[in-house]
């Protein structure tokens, strides 16, 4: 499996994202919108920044469950509520992401699907091909 970061020299460069990601080989995992919730499903306290940081942690938990980490993510989509400032969430969200810039789309929306949710994050992940996997998939993976 390989992710190639595409960042043409003639375009703006940002350390938090790549302009495009070429995915070669492997399988794709689509992580649905993750909100800033705790293990019981309750929205975390602390407003948009805390929710953004927790939503990233939720994505990382799903990645870990399938034996991956942020380096396998080809694309993130970040949704944030209309009354939230992007600068208030992007730093806290990316602080724990690590040194793996990815393609990213950021959308300010009227509202998210869950009452009280201010941030939602989705991911597209490149996983190794089935024959390249040297471990069992977790029990959470339904075959």
């Amino acid at each position: 499996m390989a992710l190639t970061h595409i960042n043409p020299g003639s375009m703006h460069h940002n350390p938090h994202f790549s302009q495009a990601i070429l995915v070669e080989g492997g399988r794709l995992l689509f992580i649905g919108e993750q909100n800033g919730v705790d293990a019981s499903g309750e929205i975390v306290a602390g407003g948009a920044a805390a929710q953004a940081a927790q939503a990233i942690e939720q994505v990382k938990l799903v990645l870990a469950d399938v034996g991956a980490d942020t380096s396998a993510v080809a694309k993130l989509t970040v949704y944030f509520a209309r009354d939230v400032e992007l600068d208030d969430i992007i730093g806290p969200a990316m602080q724990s992401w690590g040194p793996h810039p990815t393609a990213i789309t950021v959308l300010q929306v009227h509202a998210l699907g869950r009452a009280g949710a201010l941030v939602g994050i989705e991911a597209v992940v490149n996983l190794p091909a089935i024959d390249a996997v040297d471990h069992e998939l977790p029990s959470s993976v339904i075959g």
Side-chain angles (χ1 to χ4, degrees):
M1 116 184 132
L3 294 178
T4 302
H5 297 262
I6 310 296
N7 289 297
S10 60
M11 294 179 72
H12 169 73
H13 182 270
N14 186 303
H16 299 297
F17 65 84
S18 292
Q19 297 296 339
I21 303 290
L22 175 63
V23 178
E24 299 177 271
R27 300 168 293 146
L28 289 179
L29 170 69
F30 294 85
I31 299 177
E33 181 185 330
Q34 300 297 306
N35 299 121
V37 297
D38 62 22
S40 68
E42 296 298 318
I43 292 179
V44 297
Q51 286 188 33
Q54 184 60 27
I56 284 290
E57 292 305 314
Q58 296 293 108
V59 169
K60 289 168 58 177
L61 286 170
V62 175
L63 291 170
D65 201 51
V66 296
D69 62 26
T70 58
S71 68
V73 174
K75 183 177 187 301
L76 286 175
T77 303
V78 178
Y79 303 92
F80 65 104
R82 67 179 173 186
D83 297 330
V84 172
E85 294 292 326
L86 177 60
D87 289 343
D88 293 341
I89 64 162
I90 205 68
M94 301 314 290
Q95 187 172 18
S96 73
W97 186 254
H100 305 291
T102 186
I104 188 169
T105 299
V106 181
L107 302 163
Q108 190 169 33
V109 296
H110 176 73
L112 288 114
R114 179 171 180 178
L118 301 173
V119 178
I121 300 177
E122 300 176 340
V124 178
V125 184
N126 186 30
L127 297 175
I130 283 283
D131 57 351
V133 175
D134 61 357
H135 65 277
E136 294 286 322
L137 287 174
S139 60
S140 62
V141 177
I142 300 171

